[in-house]
Amino acid sequence: MAIRVLHFGLGPIGAAVARQVCTRPGLKSVGGVDIDPAKVGRDLGDVAGLTRRLGLKVSSDAAKALKAAKPDVVVHCTSSLIRTVLPQIETILKSKTPIVSTTEELVYPGYTHVRQAQQIDRWAKNARVAVLATGVNPGYTMDVLPIALTAACERVDRVIVSRVQDARTRRLRFQQKIGAGLTTEQFQRKAEDGSVRHVGLTESVAMIADALGWTLDRITDEIQPKLASVTISSEFLAVDPGYVCGIIQDGVGYRKGEPAIRLHLEAYLGAPEAYEAVHIEGSPRLSMRIDGGIPGDVATAAIVVNSIPKVVGAAPGLHTMLDLPLPSFFPGT
Amino acid sequence: MAIRVLHFGLGPIGAAVARQVCTRPGLKSVGGVDIDPAKVGRDLGDVAGLTRRLGLKVSSDAAKALKAAKPDVVVHCTSSLIRTVLPQIETILKSKTPIVSTTEELVYPGYTHVRQAQQIDRWAKNARVAVLATGVNPGYTMDVLPIALTAACERVDRVIVSRVQDARTRRLRFQQKIGAGLTTEQFQRKAEDGSVRHVGLTESVAMIADALGWTLDRITDEIQPKLASVTISSEFLAVDPGYVCGIIQDGVGYRKGEPAIRLHLEAYLGAPEAYEAVHIEGSPRLSMRIDGGIPGDVATAAIVVNSIPKVVGAAPGLHTMLDLPLPSFFPGT
């Protein structure tokens, strides 16, 4: 019996998830929800960019769609922010359906959103279903992979992670989120109001600290613009010299006054060399590198889909990648 | 309250585990068992190479030692082979104590030792405790890390793993296990009777296949000698040109006639460049590399110690690294 999946949120990531679900025999899309009037009422297959129609109309009424579709799991891809998604999560959990979400703040909410995390945990336990938020970052490259690497260590002194991405390969919304095309003044304003930034470094630092049993003094999360030195074009944008082509962002966890966890993220149009790098200082010292990096959009959708069977099989409550079984590809059979 | 650890087997790995337990505040050594007359009756601290005595005498009687020490977990490091350890496992489980073992064949026994694995699972469930076997390889570098990497993929076609180790950095017993110092004739004889080989490639191939939901036609595990071209010396051995300085071993899992999983291991004295490399062919293609590699002996002991809290907290039965929570360093607090 295939696992019945309802898609809540059909932006680029939600649509990518629907396309992956379509290719895996053990999963079946049974409904779609979105608030975008351009999507509501259309066939889910068309909205998600599938090669075929599914005979399922995208609905704007989540409660009704959940009742009609009776999914085994909801894939929830709407917003980075817990305050935005809280009522959506409540609606889904009222239908007693497990959730895999891409809400970045929910990936490891215990540091910045304790109260809301407890609320979701209570709802999930009342509904007797599991909830997980995950994605490529936060949820994988800058937290789960480094944590898995520490398993080979008898002592860990410091964790240093770098992720450099050429944002030309990412979706338009991502390029906007990192401020591509802005002036430095516009960038500063948007960085201050939070509309330009990567959401998740604080969550990743907190996840690593908890995995290692470290109590942190504080976590900092600082952002600066990367300026184009020549004209750089993506499929969606062209950025002239002197304008912002992306972000450089650093999340640091301080322990006993020292920077014990350093997460360095560069995401800009035209980064010459994409990679993931993890350095564990300790015994033994370990350095891991993924040349070319992990492409963000396909990997986020993949991690979400690959997490579905683990969430469906998990104990009721709000989970994190820390307490679920070893992440792995799920073939859908 | 510290977790009380009894050490069953005090060879190089068992002793390394005891030394690591000694440095972690949340763990406490409460007893040692070994059959070696040179160890029995001596203080566990002396036998394990600690800087201080523990006031605990190494015993040759496991059942008695278990009864006296009342450990929360047994770290079991005696043999690679299930048939050798089966009575030891039975004795430990009769005392209703969870086990973390380094028995390579037990790391993923479902392919080659189904009956014995079911037996251990029954014993563990009757005792209401968990059992896990793990280590750096099998248990981590050539299976767990590649599997964790596939979580970022929407499709996996092939998994290729290479591990190259300079065996000069390993313990004497390891150097003997890989045939260092033998003639090619001696090597062939010992490879045939199984006394020279790395135990675990078949187990790692089977673990990867199960994680990916792949049914394999067959698994091959082939070994050849690496010959010294110049004289190579380790702390323990000197190998003249023309003699064996280690092994080259290949484990391959065939799926629909194709080699879908390839594990390539080189472990010899004087390997110029140690590394771990994982290539996932699929979408996306991913290549991970750990330059310098993961040093085997300290990492095996570390992975064992880091697994202790996960095993103590797990449901009764025989587990594998696939179903326990994300591996991570355990600070012992």
Side-chain angles (χ1 to χ4, degrees):
Chain A
M1 277 282 287
I3 298 173
R4 298 165 59 85
V5 183
L6 183 133
H7 305 274
F8 193 127
L10 289 161
I13 298 294
V17 167
R19 289 194 299 275
Q20 290 192 22
V21 164
C22 183
T23 66
R24 307 208 199 178
L27 300 174
K28 187 183 177 187
S29 295
V30 296
V33 170
D34 204 290
I35 52 165
D36 181 353
K39 292 171 185 163
V40 175
R42 288 174 56 207
D43 189 89
L44 175 59
D46 290 338
V47 170
L50 296 178
T51 50
R52 60 188 174 87
R53 297 203 166 174
L54 296 175
L56 299 165
K57 290 213 184 314
V58 173
S59 166
S60 61
D61 186 331
K64 227 159 124 179
L66 284 158
K67 205 170 167 188
K70 296 186 184 58
D72 298 313
V73 66
V74 169
V75 172
H76 170 266
C77 309
T78 63
S79 164
S80 304
L81 307 181
I82 288 186
R83 68 167 181 272
T84 307
V85 304
L86 208 55
Q88 301 164 359
I89 300 283
E90 186 177 17
T91 300
I92 300 166
L93 290 177
K94 274 186 179 157
S95 78
K96 302 189 190 305
T97 315
I99 304 173
V100 184
S101 172
T102 56
T103 296
E104 283 92 337
E105 287 183 346
L106 193 56
V107 168
Y108 207 79
Y111 188 80
T112 47
H113 293 83
V114 181
R115 208 169 39 77
Q116 295 94 327
Q118 288 169 341
Q119 177 66 73
I120 292 171
D121 187 57
R122 273 195 304 273
W123 287 338
K125 283 178 175 150
N126 285 340
R128 308 185 68 79
V129 297
V131 176
L132 171 78
T134 189
V136 74
N137 183 30
Y140 189 72
T141 64
M142 299 189 86
D143 39 41
V144 162
L145 277 186
I147 289 166
L149 207 55
T150 67
C153 296
E154 62 172 340
R155 204 188 71 238
V156 178
D157 301 325
R158 196 185 299 247
V159 177
I160 301 164
V161 184
S162 298
R163 172 166 164 87
V164 176
Q165 284 246 306
D166 181 356
R168 284 180 299 189
T169 65
R170 301 295 300 268
R171 64 193 191 277
L172 172 62
R173 180 78 192 92
F174 182 88
Q175 296 179 12
Q176 291 167 335
K177 268 192 189 178
I178 59 168
L182 301 179
T183 65
T184 47
E185 279 185 356
Q186 290 170 323
F187 181 95
Q188 295 303 355
R189 229 168 19 241
K190 283 175 179 281
E192 273 160 34
D193 75 19
S195 58
V196 159
R197 62 169 173 150
H198 163 73
V199 178
L201 289 188
T202 298
E203 286 71 15
S204 293
V205 169
M207 192 195 296
I208 294 170
D210 280 359
L212 301 180
W214 288 356
T215 304
L216 298 180
D217 316 329
R218 68 185 198 281
I219 298 175
T220 59
D221 186 344
E222 289 177 0
I223 180 170
Q224 49 182 306
K226 172 82 180 176
L227 301 184
S229 52
V230 296
T231 299
I232 313 165
S233 303
S234 74
E235 188 188 340
F236 312 108
L237 298 169
V239 177
D240 286 328
Y243 285 79
V244 175
C245 60
I247 55 165
I248 298 174
Q249 198 167 335
D250 287 278
V252 181
Y254 290 86
R255 182 181 181 225
K256 298 173 185 171
E258 295 291 320
I261 302 170
R262 298 194 80 106
L263 309 185
H264 177 75
L265 175 69
E266 299 186 17
Y268 60 93
L269 305 184
E273 185 198 24
Y275 64 85
E276 321 287 336
V278 178
H279 300 281
I280 310 293
E281 290 184 7
S283 172
R285 267 171 184 265
L286 296 175
S287 286
M288 190 193 81
R289 193 176 162 97
I290 298 175
D291 280 319
I294 299 182
D297 295 332
V298 60
T300 283
I303 289 165
V304 164
V305 175
N306 292 332
S307 298
I308 288 175
K310 298 182 203 285
V311 170
V312 168
L318 176 60
H319 292 267
T320 72
M321 293 295 276
L322 275 192
D323 60 273
L324 287 188
L326 187 69
S328 56
F329 171 71
F330 171 61
T333 51
Chain B
M1 276 280 288
I3 298 174
R4 299 165 59 85
V5 183
L6 183 133
H7 305 275
F8 193 126
L10 289 161
I13 297 293
V17 167
R19 290 194 299 275
Q20 290 192 22
V21 164
C22 183
T23 66
R24 307 208 198 178
L27 299 173
K28 188 184 177 188
S29 295
V30 296
V33 170
D34 204 291
I35 51 165
D36 181 352
K39 293 171 185 163
V40 175
R42 289 173 57 206
D43 189 89
L44 174 60
D46 290 339
V47 170
L50 296 178
T51 51
R52 60 188 175 87
R53 297 203 166 174
L54 296 174
L56 299 165
K57 290 214 185 314
V58 173
S59 166
S60 61
D61 186 331
K64 227 159 123 179
L66 284 158
K67 204 170 168 188
K70 296 187 184 56
D72 298 313
V73 65
V74 170
V75 172
H76 170 265
C77 309
T78 63
S79 163
S80 304
L81 307 181
I82 288 187
R83 67 166 183 271
T84 306
V85 304
L86 208 55
Q88 301 164 359
I89 300 283
E90 186 177 18
T91 299
I92 301 166
L93 290 177
K94 274 186 180 157
S95 77
K96 302 189 189 305
T97 315
I99 304 174
V100 184
S101 172
T102 56
T103 295
E104 283 92 337
E105 286 183 346
L106 193 56
V107 168
Y108 207 79
Y111 188 80
T112 47
H113 294 82
V114 181
R115 207 169 39 78
Q116 294 94 328
Q118 289 169 341
Q119 177 66 73
I120 292 171
D121 186 57
R122 273 196 303 273
W123 287 338
K125 282 177 175 151
N126 284 340
R128 309 185 68 81
V129 297
V131 176
L132 171 77
T134 189
V136 74
N137 183 30
Y140 188 72
T141 63
M142 299 189 85
D143 39 42
V144 162
L145 278 187
I147 289 165
L149 207 54
T150 66
C153 296
E154 62 172 339
R155 203 187 73 237
V156 179
D157 301 324
R158 198 185 297 248
V159 176
I160 300 164
V161 184
S162 298
R163 172 167 164 86
V164 176
Q165 283 247 307
D166 181 356
R168 285 180 298 189
T169 64
R170 301 296 300 268
R171 64 194 191 277
L172 173 61
R173 180 77 192 93
F174 182 89
Q175 296 180 12
Q176 291 167 336
K177 268 192 188 177
I178 59 166
L182 302 179
T183 64
T184 47
E185 279 185 356
Q186 289 170 324
F187 181 95
Q188 295 303 356
R189 230 170 16 243
K190 283 175 180 283
E192 273 161 34
D193 75 18
S195 58
V196 159
R197 62 169 173 150
H198 163 72
V199 178
L201 289 188
T202 298
E203 286 71 16
S204 293
V205 169
M207 192 195 295
I208 294 169
D210 280 0
L212 301 180
W214 288 356
T215 304
L216 298 180
D217 316 328
R218 68 186 199 280
I219 298 175
T220 59
D221 186 344
E222 289 177 0
I223 181 171
Q224 48 182 307
K226 172 81 179 176
L227 302 183
S229 51
V230 296
T231 299
I232 313 165
S233 303
S234 75
E235 188 187 340
F236 311 109
L237 298 169
V239 177
D240 286 328
Y243 285 79
V244 174
C245 60
I247 55 165
I248 298 174
Q249 197 167 337
D250 287 277
V252 181
Y254 290 86
R255 183 182 181 223
K256 298 174 185 169
E258 295 290 321
I261 302 170
R262 298 193 80 107
L263 309 185
H264 177 76
L265 175 70
E266 299 186 17
Y268 60 93
L269 306 184
E273 186 198 24
Y275 64 85
E276 321 287 336
V278 178
H279 301 281
I280 310 292
E281 291 184 7
S283 172
R285 267 171 183 265
L286 296 174
S287 285
M288 189 193 83
R289 193 176 162 98
I290 298 175
D291 280 320
I294 299 182
D297 295 333
V298 60
T300 283
I303 290 165
V304 164
V305 175
N306 291 332
S307 298
I308 288 175
K310 298 182 203 286
V311 170
V312 168
L318 176 60
H319 291 267
T320 72
M321 293 294 276
L322 276 192
D323 60 274
L324 287 187
L326 187 69
S328 56
F329 171 70
F330 171 62
T333 51

